Amino acid sequence: MHLPTLISDLVVIIIAAGLMTLLFKRLKQPVVLGYILAGVLAGPSIQFIPTVSDTVNINTWGEIGVIFLLFNLGLDFSIKKLMKVGGTAIVGAMTVLIGMMTTGYLVGTAIGLDRMNCIFLGAMLSMSSTTIIFKAFDEMGLRNKQFAGVVFGILIVEDIFAVLMLVLLSTLAVSQTFEGQELLLSMTKLALFLVGCFVFGIYFIPSMLKALKKILNDEMLLIISIGFCLGLVYVADWIGFSSALGAFMMGAILAETIEAEHIESLVKPVKDLFAAVFFVSVGMLIDLNILWEYKWHVAILTITVMIGQLFFGSFGVLLSGKPVKTAIQSGFSLTQIGEFAFIIASQGIALKVMESHLYPLIVAVSVVTTFFTPYMIRLAEPAYNGIERALPPSWKQFLDQYTSGSNTIRHQSEWRRYLRSMSRIVGIYLAVTLVLIFAWLQLVAPLIRQFLPGQNGNLLALVLLIALMAPLLRAIMMKKNRSKAFRHLWNDSKYNRGPLVSLIVLRIIVCMGLVAIPTSALLSTKWGIVLVASLSVIAIMIFSKRVKKHSILMERHFVSNLSAREAESERRAPIRRDFANHLLERDLHLTDIEVRPHSPSIGKTLKELNFRQKCNVNIVTIIRGERRINIPGGNEYLYPLDKLIIVGSDDDILHFHDYIAERYHQADQERREEEADEMNIEQFTISEGSRLIGLSIRESGIRDKAQCLVIGIERGKTSIKNPPPSTVFEEGDIVWIVGERRKVIHLSEGKTL
């Protein structure tokens, strides 16, 4: 019996990945590089060892790896993170994306690539590696640095744009056209899909998980989560989008649930397994002969990535108003490409629109830039010092004024706030309504016509659809019409009333159009009748209290599900989020540290430890189980597993972590030295000629001189437990003693007495 080829190929992949993981861990290099090297060794370019030669199998495992990579990325992403990253991350990421895509396109043109290959090359060179940067920051102890937050924000924005880029590049590749109308249509379709998936997912999935919480165990939660992921992967592929988009969206939806962290921990082993499979499959598609043939192209692209990412990253962060030091540190951290470049390259190869030799070139560039990432991060500080010395005083003054001015609070007019709020609500409800109409006409209406043929079936489908649309349409028409901002604008000036009424009329017209779309599609009636029907439906929705009630209940349910995780996090948070953001504006931020079970700080008061004077940090909160001690006093003791919330600057927090690490090191050394003093039980025999013969336990000095305790004596066939001090030793006695390990051993060897 022979194993199927797919399974035997997986065996080769896993074994190669495991061996390279051990090697690269020992070399203290990123494991991703080991996976890629394992793929080279296990791929068809190497013939001396058992390899995978079936390209179809390689692509299959690669696609599975991409699905789980993006699913996990979505779990870590959360749509709210994008909403909270702020202008710095958005400006920085957009500067990098636009700058690097343009640079990549120009470099591709210079080395003789056609237009489509240049577009794919620009997209691949614009994506920094989230995995590599996270790992580098962890290993270098930079996660708590202020610039690290800026880099993470940029990576979040880049990741979401990378997913969107996958879809757009696929559309361009299939259509082979660059017309604005076609691109606009694709983007509209994509936006509807994203909004629809997110809204419907948030509305139903958290409620379902909450209802099943009492019976959910780890196994069920893992299966349900992966089932949701693969389900949306299938839907995305059926609609015509990338399967990776479906995986990412389901991850982003589950990231908003209370169970998000639990799901992430359960999925992590699965993700790690298939991530290894994916990166190994990347290495398998490398042709070493092609790599050597295009070695100068590798050098050019590597220099382009490192210089381009450094320049555009630093410029973007500086443009957003951050200090020069933060901008330079951020730029030096982004000087690599990683997993998304591989995914985009794999898609280009699969669609047969990208030159096959570009794939190994991109992988080689990623390997080289990944290797240099830690060194580039370390160079940021010296580079900043050199630039600061070289800058003219006038430039320094201008940059200081610019960065300080960008952080000032700007006034928002009432009109701006009202329009922004209304546009957000109308946009979301409009997108959801369009998705509902599309799905109903494509999926549900044909099923109804199977059971009720003819015009009656169409009429029933229309009535049911309008009933489902009613709460959404009312929200589009009536939301924010009685808000505080609306009333303020209405009463502030009579000149505001015309525009406000016009906005209401415009929203009603939009709703009429939404009703008209399914009416004309299902009934094939004339537009006059459609108009009358639309007006009638709109009037009913405006004045119906039942529709109003359902609209409010639906919105409350959605907001409750969307805010559940945030509310739970806020409840458990040691300090208010707005206060934490306030600290960031003053070059201060919060971090936490857990008191380990063997910490030398256990049992000591904050006054004794004196962290404020030694490290210039303040302990603002102690979390002890479910108890929270805010602004603890100097007499507060520390206990094992206490979580300390620390506030301070970057340098002070780094000094605090170094100080704690040094204390742990000293305590560990002392603990090792004291191991010899641990209590132990030993036995020895009183042989012929022993000086103990005829002496009592008290006279022997075992207790007084050796600090040991005699707990038993075996004499012939009898045993004396806990013998009294007057017991006299006899020849042949087997004596059991207990005491400090070192002293007991010495006593048993006759070295003490």
Side-chain angles (χ1 to χ4, degrees), residues 13-39 41 135 272-273 275-277 279-280:
I13 291 172
I14 296 298
I15 292 176
L19 294 174
M20 286 301 165
T21 300
L22 296 174
L23 176 62
F24 275 68
K25 279 285 187 182
R26 189 170 183 85
L27 297 174
K28 296 182 178 180
Q29 294 295 322
V31 178
V32 173
L33 300 182
Y35 292 150
I36 294 173
L37 180 58
L41 296 176
K135 181 176 178 59
D272 290 341
L273 172 63
V277 171
F279 288 116
V280 172

PDB file of all heavy atoms in Angstrom, residues 13-39 41 135 272-273 275-277 279-280:
ATOM      1  N   ILE A  13       7.462  17.912   3.472  1.00  0.00           N
ATOM      2  CA  ILE A  13       7.387  19.323   3.860  1.00  0.00           C
ATOM      3  C   ILE A  13       7.567  19.484   5.363  1.00  0.00           C
ATOM      4  O   ILE A  13       8.360  20.306   5.837  1.00  0.00           O
ATOM      5  CB  ILE A  13       6.054  19.938   3.400  1.00  0.00           C
ATOM      6  CG1 ILE A  13       6.013  20.043   1.867  1.00  0.00           C
ATOM      7  CG2 ILE A  13       5.842  21.312   4.029  1.00  0.00           C
ATOM      8  CD1 ILE A  13       4.655  20.461   1.323  1.00  0.00           C
ATOM      9  N   ILE A  14       6.835  18.688   6.145  1.00  0.00           N
ATOM     10  CA  ILE A  14       6.863  18.829   7.602  1.00  0.00           C
ATOM     11  C   ILE A  14       8.225  18.445   8.170  1.00  0.00           C
ATOM     12  O   ILE A  14       8.765  19.126   9.058  1.00  0.00           O
ATOM     13  CB  ILE A  14       5.748  17.991   8.249  1.00  0.00           C
ATOM     14  CG1 ILE A  14       4.362  18.509   7.813  1.00  0.00           C
ATOM     15  CG2 ILE A  14       5.856  18.016   9.758  1.00  0.00           C
ATOM     16  CD1 ILE A  14       4.079  19.919   8.222  1.00  0.00           C
ATOM     17  N   ILE A  15       8.795  17.367   7.683  1.00  0.00           N
ATOM     18  CA  ILE A  15      10.105  16.933   8.172  1.00  0.00           C
ATOM     19  C   ILE A  15      11.170  17.990   7.861  1.00  0.00           C
ATOM     20  O   ILE A  15      11.981  18.355   8.713  1.00  0.00           O
ATOM     21  CB  ILE A  15      10.496  15.570   7.575  1.00  0.00           C
ATOM     22  CG1 ILE A  15       9.582  14.472   8.135  1.00  0.00           C
ATOM     23  CG2 ILE A  15      11.960  15.242   7.877  1.00  0.00           C
ATOM     24  CD1 ILE A  15       9.825  13.105   7.526  1.00  0.00           C
ATOM     25  N   ALA A  16      11.167  18.492   6.631  1.00  0.00           N
ATOM     26  CA  ALA A  16      12.131  19.529   6.255  1.00  0.00           C
ATOM     27  C   ALA A  16      11.950  20.781   7.104  1.00  0.00           C
ATOM     28  O   ALA A  16      12.928  21.377   7.573  1.00  0.00           O
ATOM     29  CB  ALA A  16      11.976  19.863   4.768  1.00  0.00           C
ATOM     30  N   ALA A  17      10.688  21.189   7.333  1.00  0.00           N
ATOM     31  CA  ALA A  17      10.410  22.371   8.149  1.00  0.00           C
ATOM     32  C   ALA A  17      10.867  22.174   9.585  1.00  0.00           C
ATOM     33  O   ALA A  17      11.446  23.084  10.199  1.00  0.00           O
ATOM     34  CB  ALA A  17       8.914  22.695   8.108  1.00  0.00           C
ATOM     35  N   GLY A  18      10.632  20.975  10.137  1.00  0.00           N
ATOM     36  CA  GLY A  18      11.032  20.695  11.518  1.00  0.00           C
ATOM     37  C   GLY A  18      12.534  20.757  11.702  1.00  0.00           C
ATOM     38  O   GLY A  18      13.041  21.345  12.667  1.00  0.00           O
ATOM     39  N   LEU A  19      13.283  20.168  10.783  1.00  0.00           N
ATOM     40  CA  LEU A  19      14.739  20.171  10.882  1.00  0.00           C
ATOM     41  C   LEU A  19      15.297  21.594  10.771  1.00  0.00           C
ATOM     42  O   LEU A  19      16.193  21.986  11.531  1.00  0.00           O
ATOM     43  CB  LEU A  19      15.342  19.279   9.797  1.00  0.00           C
ATOM     44  CG  LEU A  19      15.048  17.770   9.925  1.00  0.00           C
ATOM     45  CD1 LEU A  19      15.576  17.022   8.710  1.00  0.00           C
ATOM     46  CD2 LEU A  19      15.664  17.209  11.207  1.00  0.00           C
ATOM     47  N   MET A  20      14.771  22.367   9.841  1.00  0.00           N
ATOM     48  CA  MET A  20      15.258  23.732   9.665  1.00  0.00           C
ATOM     49  C   MET A  20      14.861  24.641  10.831  1.00  0.00           C
ATOM     50  O   MET A  20      15.583  25.573  11.171  1.00  0.00           O
ATOM     51  CB  MET A  20      14.730  24.312   8.353  1.00  0.00           C
ATOM     52  CG  MET A  20      15.436  23.733   7.140  1.00  0.00           C
ATOM     53  SD  MET A  20      17.224  24.067   7.213  1.00  0.00           S
ATOM     54  CE  MET A  20      17.832  22.942   5.980  1.00  0.00           C
ATOM     55  N   THR A  21      13.734  24.363  11.446  1.00  0.00           N
ATOM     56  CA  THR A  21      13.330  25.133  12.628  1.00  0.00           C
ATOM     57  C   THR A  21      14.355  24.972  13.743  1.00  0.00           C
ATOM     58  O   THR A  21      14.768  25.957  14.378  1.00  0.00           O
ATOM     59  CB  THR A  21      11.943  24.679  13.119  1.00  0.00           C
ATOM     60  OG1 THR A  21      10.980  24.888  12.092  1.00  0.00           O
ATOM     61  CG2 THR A  21      11.537  25.464  14.363  1.00  0.00           C
ATOM     62  N   LEU A  22      14.758  23.728  13.991  1.00  0.00           N
ATOM     63  CA  LEU A  22      15.758  23.466  15.031  1.00  0.00           C
ATOM     64  C   LEU A  22      17.073  24.180  14.713  1.00  0.00           C
ATOM     65  O   LEU A  22      17.699  24.791  15.594  1.00  0.00           O
ATOM     66  CB  LEU A  22      15.989  21.962  15.162  1.00  0.00           C
ATOM     67  CG  LEU A  22      14.788  21.130  15.639  1.00  0.00           C
ATOM     68  CD1 LEU A  22      15.120  19.644  15.581  1.00  0.00           C
ATOM     69  CD2 LEU A  22      14.389  21.531  17.062  1.00  0.00           C
ATOM     70  N   LEU A  23      17.498  24.106  13.454  1.00  0.00           N
ATOM     71  CA  LEU A  23      18.763  24.716  13.052  1.00  0.00           C
ATOM     72  C   LEU A  23      18.726  26.230  13.200  1.00  0.00           C
ATOM     73  O   LEU A  23      19.643  26.834  13.779  1.00  0.00           O
ATOM     74  CB  LEU A  23      19.092  24.326  11.611  1.00  0.00           C
ATOM     75  CG  LEU A  23      20.355  24.961  10.998  1.00  0.00           C
ATOM     76  CD1 LEU A  23      21.595  24.545  11.789  1.00  0.00           C
ATOM     77  CD2 LEU A  23      20.494  24.574   9.529  1.00  0.00           C
ATOM     78  N   PHE A  24      17.672  26.875  12.697  1.00  0.00           N
ATOM     79  CA  PHE A  24      17.609  28.327  12.720  1.00  0.00           C
ATOM     80  C   PHE A  24      17.329  28.880  14.117  1.00  0.00           C
ATOM     81  O   PHE A  24      17.716  30.007  14.415  1.00  0.00           O
ATOM     82  CB  PHE A  24      16.577  28.835  11.711  1.00  0.00           C
ATOM     83  CG  PHE A  24      17.132  28.973  10.318  1.00  0.00           C
ATOM     84  CD1 PHE A  24      17.486  27.858   9.587  1.00  0.00           C
ATOM     85  CD2 PHE A  24      17.328  30.218   9.762  1.00  0.00           C
ATOM     86  CE1 PHE A  24      18.029  27.981   8.315  1.00  0.00           C
ATOM     87  CE2 PHE A  24      17.861  30.360   8.492  1.00  0.00           C
ATOM     88  CZ  PHE A  24      18.220  29.231   7.765  1.00  0.00           C
ATOM     89  N   LYS A  25      16.660  28.114  14.961  1.00  0.00           N
ATOM     90  CA  LYS A  25      16.510  28.510  16.362  1.00  0.00           C
ATOM     91  C   LYS A  25      17.861  28.545  17.051  1.00  0.00           C
ATOM     92  O   LYS A  25      18.160  29.436  17.849  1.00  0.00           O
ATOM     93  CB  LYS A  25      15.573  27.536  17.084  1.00  0.00           C
ATOM     94  CG  LYS A  25      14.096  27.795  16.865  1.00  0.00           C
ATOM     95  CD  LYS A  25      13.622  28.998  17.644  1.00  0.00           C
ATOM     96  CE  LYS A  25      12.110  29.138  17.557  1.00  0.00           C
ATOM     97  NZ  LYS A  25      11.620  30.344  18.289  1.00  0.00           N
ATOM     98  N   ARG A  26      18.692  27.546  16.756  1.00  0.00           N
ATOM     99  CA  ARG A  26      20.021  27.480  17.335  1.00  0.00           C
ATOM    100  C   ARG A  26      20.902  28.624  16.820  1.00  0.00           C
ATOM    101  O   ARG A  26      21.707  29.182  17.559  1.00  0.00           O
ATOM    102  CB  ARG A  26      20.675  26.137  17.028  1.00  0.00           C
ATOM    103  CG  ARG A  26      21.975  25.893  17.784  1.00  0.00           C
ATOM    104  CD  ARG A  26      22.438  24.480  17.642  1.00  0.00           C
ATOM    105  NE  ARG A  26      23.638  24.210  18.422  1.00  0.00           N
ATOM    106  CZ  ARG A  26      23.651  23.872  19.687  1.00  0.00           C
ATOM    107  NH1 ARG A  26      22.495  23.759  20.329  1.00  0.00           N
ATOM    108  NH2 ARG A  26      24.787  23.650  20.331  1.00  0.00           N
ATOM    109  N   LEU A  27      20.715  28.996  15.539  1.00  0.00           N
ATOM    110  CA  LEU A  27      21.474  30.094  14.954  1.00  0.00           C
ATOM    111  C   LEU A  27      20.903  31.457  15.296  1.00  0.00           C
ATOM    112  O   LEU A  27      21.478  32.488  14.912  1.00  0.00           O
ATOM    113  CB  LEU A  27      21.530  29.936  13.428  1.00  0.00           C
ATOM    114  CG  LEU A  27      22.240  28.687  12.886  1.00  0.00           C
ATOM    115  CD1 LEU A  27      22.083  28.599  11.377  1.00  0.00           C
ATOM    116  CD2 LEU A  27      23.708  28.685  13.300  1.00  0.00           C
ATOM    117  N   LYS A  28      19.740  31.481  16.012  1.00  0.00           N
ATOM    118  CA  LYS A  28      19.056  32.715  16.399  1.00  0.00           C
ATOM    119  C   LYS A  28      18.704  33.566  15.187  1.00  0.00           C
ATOM    120  O   LYS A  28      18.871  34.780  15.174  1.00  0.00           O
ATOM    121  CB  LYS A  28      19.910  33.503  17.397  1.00  0.00           C
ATOM    122  CG  LYS A  28      20.141  32.785  18.718  1.00  0.00           C
ATOM    123  CD  LYS A  28      20.941  33.610  19.702  1.00  0.00           C
ATOM    124  CE  LYS A  28      21.109  32.867  21.029  1.00  0.00           C
ATOM    125  NZ  LYS A  28      21.905  33.650  22.021  1.00  0.00           N
ATOM    126  N   GLN A  29      18.209  32.919  14.147  1.00  0.00           N
ATOM    127  CA  GLN A  29      17.751  33.575  12.944  1.00  0.00           C
ATOM    128  C   GLN A  29      16.243  33.367  12.802  1.00  0.00           C
ATOM    129  O   GLN A  29      15.688  32.419  13.359  1.00  0.00           O
ATOM    130  CB  GLN A  29      18.484  33.016  11.717  1.00  0.00           C
ATOM    131  CG  GLN A  29      19.971  33.320  11.676  1.00  0.00           C
ATOM    132  CD  GLN A  29      20.264  34.805  11.548  1.00  0.00           C
ATOM    133  OE1 GLN A  29      19.565  35.529  10.843  1.00  0.00           O
ATOM    134  NE2 GLN A  29      21.295  35.270  12.244  1.00  0.00           N
ATOM    135  N   PRO A  30      15.546  34.256  12.063  1.00  0.00           N
ATOM    136  CA  PRO A  30      14.097  34.080  11.878  1.00  0.00           C
ATOM    137  C   PRO A  30      13.758  32.718  11.290  1.00  0.00           C
ATOM    138  O   PRO A  30      14.387  32.276  10.323  1.00  0.00           O
ATOM    139  CB  PRO A  30      13.737  35.216  10.904  1.00  0.00           C
ATOM    140  CG  PRO A  30      14.798  36.244  11.096  1.00  0.00           C
ATOM    141  CD  PRO A  30      16.049  35.484  11.429  1.00  0.00           C
ATOM    142  N   VAL A  31      12.768  32.081  11.879  1.00  0.00           N
ATOM    143  CA  VAL A  31      12.385  30.743  11.443  1.00  0.00           C
ATOM    144  C   VAL A  31      11.857  30.753  10.012  1.00  0.00           C
ATOM    145  O   VAL A  31      11.971  29.762   9.282  1.00  0.00           O
ATOM    146  CB  VAL A  31      11.343  30.156  12.412  1.00  0.00           C
ATOM    147  CG1 VAL A  31      10.888  28.779  11.953  1.00  0.00           C
ATOM    148  CG2 VAL A  31      11.907  30.058  13.816  1.00  0.00           C
ATOM    149  N   VAL A  32      11.273  31.894   9.602  1.00  0.00           N
ATOM    150  CA  VAL A  32      10.736  32.001   8.245  1.00  0.00           C
ATOM    151  C   VAL A  32      11.818  31.699   7.210  1.00  0.00           C
ATOM    152  O   VAL A  32      11.574  31.022   6.208  1.00  0.00           O
ATOM    153  CB  VAL A  32      10.135  33.401   8.014  1.00  0.00           C
ATOM    154  CG1 VAL A  32       9.740  33.578   6.556  1.00  0.00           C
ATOM    155  CG2 VAL A  32       8.942  33.624   8.915  1.00  0.00           C
ATOM    156  N   LEU A  33      13.026  32.198   7.453  1.00  0.00           N
ATOM    157  CA  LEU A  33      14.137  31.924   6.541  1.00  0.00           C
ATOM    158  C   LEU A  33      14.438  30.425   6.490  1.00  0.00           C
ATOM    159  O   LEU A  33      14.757  29.885   5.422  1.00  0.00           O
ATOM    160  CB  LEU A  33      15.378  32.698   6.979  1.00  0.00           C
ATOM    161  CG  LEU A  33      15.261  34.224   7.027  1.00  0.00           C
ATOM    162  CD1 LEU A  33      16.591  34.841   7.423  1.00  0.00           C
ATOM    163  CD2 LEU A  33      14.793  34.776   5.702  1.00  0.00           C
ATOM    164  N   GLY A  34      14.332  29.776   7.630  1.00  0.00           N
ATOM    165  CA  GLY A  34      14.544  28.329   7.673  1.00  0.00           C
ATOM    166  C   GLY A  34      13.512  27.586   6.857  1.00  0.00           C
ATOM    167  O   GLY A  34      13.837  26.614   6.146  1.00  0.00           O
ATOM    168  N   TYR A  35      12.251  28.018   6.944  1.00  0.00           N
ATOM    169  CA  TYR A  35      11.204  27.385   6.150  1.00  0.00           C
ATOM    170  C   TYR A  35      11.477  27.521   4.650  1.00  0.00           C
ATOM    171  O   TYR A  35      11.299  26.567   3.882  1.00  0.00           O
ATOM    172  CB  TYR A  35       9.845  28.005   6.481  1.00  0.00           C
ATOM    173  CG  TYR A  35       9.336  27.701   7.877  1.00  0.00           C
ATOM    174  CD1 TYR A  35       8.509  28.607   8.546  1.00  0.00           C
ATOM    175  CD2 TYR A  35       9.666  26.527   8.511  1.00  0.00           C
ATOM    176  CE1 TYR A  35       8.033  28.334   9.814  1.00  0.00           C
ATOM    177  CE2 TYR A  35       9.198  26.242   9.791  1.00  0.00           C
ATOM    178  CZ  TYR A  35       8.386  27.158  10.435  1.00  0.00           C
ATOM    179  OH  TYR A  35       7.918  26.893  11.696  1.00  0.00           O
ATOM    180  N   ILE A  36      11.889  28.715   4.247  1.00  0.00           N
ATOM    181  CA  ILE A  36      12.170  28.938   2.831  1.00  0.00           C
ATOM    182  C   ILE A  36      13.327  28.063   2.364  1.00  0.00           C
ATOM    183  O   ILE A  36      13.276  27.455   1.289  1.00  0.00           O
ATOM    184  CB  ILE A  36      12.460  30.430   2.574  1.00  0.00           C
ATOM    185  CG1 ILE A  36      11.200  31.264   2.847  1.00  0.00           C
ATOM    186  CG2 ILE A  36      12.948  30.650   1.146  1.00  0.00           C
ATOM    187  CD1 ILE A  36      11.427  32.762   2.793  1.00  0.00           C
ATOM    188  N   LEU A  37      14.387  27.975   3.172  1.00  0.00           N
ATOM    189  CA  LEU A  37      15.514  27.106   2.834  1.00  0.00           C
ATOM    190  C   LEU A  37      15.078  25.649   2.782  1.00  0.00           C
ATOM    191  O   LEU A  37      15.506  24.889   1.902  1.00  0.00           O
ATOM    192  CB  LEU A  37      16.642  27.289   3.853  1.00  0.00           C
ATOM    193  CG  LEU A  37      17.906  26.429   3.625  1.00  0.00           C
ATOM    194  CD1 LEU A  37      18.510  26.705   2.250  1.00  0.00           C
ATOM    195  CD2 LEU A  37      18.945  26.685   4.723  1.00  0.00           C
ATOM    196  N   ALA A  38      14.203  25.244   3.720  1.00  0.00           N
ATOM    197  CA  ALA A  38      13.669  23.877   3.695  1.00  0.00           C
ATOM    198  C   ALA A  38      12.918  23.619   2.401  1.00  0.00           C
ATOM    199  O   ALA A  38      13.009  22.524   1.820  1.00  0.00           O
ATOM    200  CB  ALA A  38      12.748  23.659   4.901  1.00  0.00           C
ATOM    201  N   GLY A  39      12.178  24.637   1.930  1.00  0.00           N
ATOM    202  CA  GLY A  39      11.466  24.490   0.675  1.00  0.00           C
ATOM    203  C   GLY A  39      12.402  24.329  -0.508  1.00  0.00           C
ATOM    204  O   GLY A  39      12.145  23.537  -1.423  1.00  0.00           O
ATOM    205  N   LEU A  41      15.379  22.991  -0.405  1.00  0.00           N
ATOM    206  CA  LEU A  41      15.952  21.648  -0.318  1.00  0.00           C
ATOM    207  C   LEU A  41      14.935  20.572  -0.685  1.00  0.00           C
ATOM    208  O   LEU A  41      15.293  19.541  -1.270  1.00  0.00           O
ATOM    209  CB  LEU A  41      16.481  21.396   1.103  1.00  0.00           C
ATOM    210  CG  LEU A  41      17.649  22.285   1.552  1.00  0.00           C
ATOM    211  CD1 LEU A  41      17.997  22.003   3.001  1.00  0.00           C
ATOM    212  CD2 LEU A  41      18.864  22.073   0.657  1.00  0.00           C
ATOM    213  N   LYS A 135       8.617  39.889  15.500  1.00  0.00           N
ATOM    214  CA  LYS A 135       9.619  39.006  16.083  1.00  0.00           C
ATOM    215  C   LYS A 135      10.877  39.792  16.455  1.00  0.00           C
ATOM    216  O   LYS A 135      11.442  39.596  17.531  1.00  0.00           O
ATOM    217  CB  LYS A 135       9.982  37.885  15.099  1.00  0.00           C
ATOM    218  CG  LYS A 135      11.006  36.886  15.642  1.00  0.00           C
ATOM    219  CD  LYS A 135      11.234  35.759  14.666  1.00  0.00           C
ATOM    220  CE  LYS A 135      12.298  34.799  15.187  1.00  0.00           C
ATOM    221  NZ  LYS A 135      11.954  34.217  16.473  1.00  0.00           N
ATOM    222  N   ASP A 272       0.325  28.024  12.849  1.00  0.00           N
ATOM    223  CA  ASP A 272       1.771  27.785  12.808  1.00  0.00           C
ATOM    224  C   ASP A 272       2.112  26.627  11.865  1.00  0.00           C
ATOM    225  O   ASP A 272       3.096  26.688  11.119  1.00  0.00           O
ATOM    226  CB  ASP A 272       2.296  27.489  14.212  1.00  0.00           C
ATOM    227  CG  ASP A 272       2.268  28.715  15.113  1.00  0.00           C
ATOM    228  OD1 ASP A 272       2.187  29.838  14.572  1.00  0.00           O
ATOM    229  OD2 ASP A 272       2.306  28.558  16.344  1.00  0.00           O
ATOM    230  N   LEU A 273       1.285  25.576  11.917  1.00  0.00           N
ATOM    231  CA  LEU A 273       1.525  24.419  11.046  1.00  0.00           C
ATOM    232  C   LEU A 273       1.416  24.807   9.578  1.00  0.00           C
ATOM    233  O   LEU A 273       2.327  24.558   8.782  1.00  0.00           O
ATOM    234  CB  LEU A 273       0.533  23.302  11.375  1.00  0.00           C
ATOM    235  CG  LEU A 273       0.536  22.101  10.414  1.00  0.00           C
ATOM    236  CD1 LEU A 273       1.883  21.385  10.444  1.00  0.00           C
ATOM    237  CD2 LEU A 273      -0.606  21.145  10.754  1.00  0.00           C
ATOM    238  N   ALA A 275       1.324  27.820   8.274  1.00  0.00           N
ATOM    239  CA  ALA A 275       2.266  28.876   7.913  1.00  0.00           C
ATOM    240  C   ALA A 275       3.595  28.257   7.494  1.00  0.00           C
ATOM    241  O   ALA A 275       4.218  28.690   6.505  1.00  0.00           O
ATOM    242  CB  ALA A 275       2.469  29.835   9.082  1.00  0.00           C
ATOM    243  N   ALA A 276       4.021  27.245   8.255  1.00  0.00           N
ATOM    244  CA  ALA A 276       5.242  26.527   7.886  1.00  0.00           C
ATOM    245  C   ALA A 276       5.087  25.889   6.507  1.00  0.00           C
ATOM    246  O   ALA A 276       5.989  25.955   5.660  1.00  0.00           O
ATOM    247  CB  ALA A 276       5.563  25.468   8.933  1.00  0.00           C
ATOM    248  N   VAL A 277       3.921  25.275   6.266  1.00  0.00           N
ATOM    249  CA  VAL A 277       3.655  24.654   4.968  1.00  0.00           C
ATOM    250  C   VAL A 277       3.721  25.695   3.853  1.00  0.00           C
ATOM    251  O   VAL A 277       4.309  25.460   2.787  1.00  0.00           O
ATOM    252  CB  VAL A 277       2.283  23.951   4.988  1.00  0.00           C
ATOM    253  CG1 VAL A 277       1.907  23.492   3.576  1.00  0.00           C
ATOM    254  CG2 VAL A 277       2.301  22.764   5.938  1.00  0.00           C
ATOM    255  N   PHE A 279       5.314  28.721   3.780  1.00  0.00           N
ATOM    256  CA  PHE A 279       6.652  29.244   3.534  1.00  0.00           C
ATOM    257  C   PHE A 279       7.572  28.182   2.915  1.00  0.00           C
ATOM    258  O   PHE A 279       8.447  28.515   2.117  1.00  0.00           O
ATOM    259  CB  PHE A 279       7.248  29.801   4.819  1.00  0.00           C
ATOM    260  CG  PHE A 279       6.632  31.093   5.268  1.00  0.00           C
ATOM    261  CD1 PHE A 279       5.933  31.163   6.459  1.00  0.00           C
ATOM    262  CD2 PHE A 279       6.736  32.229   4.497  1.00  0.00           C
ATOM    263  CE1 PHE A 279       5.344  32.350   6.867  1.00  0.00           C
ATOM    264  CE2 PHE A 279       6.154  33.426   4.892  1.00  0.00           C
ATOM    265  CZ  PHE A 279       5.454  33.482   6.079  1.00  0.00           C
ATOM    266  N   VAL A 280       7.363  26.931   3.279  1.00  0.00           N
ATOM    267  CA  VAL A 280       8.116  25.856   2.627  1.00  0.00           C
ATOM    268  C   VAL A 280       7.723  25.768   1.154  1.00  0.00           C
ATOM    269  O   VAL A 280       8.579  25.593   0.277  1.00  0.00           O
ATOM    270  CB  VAL A 280       7.885  24.512   3.342  1.00  0.00           C
ATOM    271  CG1 VAL A 280       8.513  23.371   2.531  1.00  0.00           C
ATOM    272  CG2 VAL A 280       8.496  24.521   4.730  1.00  0.00           C
TER     273      VAL A 280
END
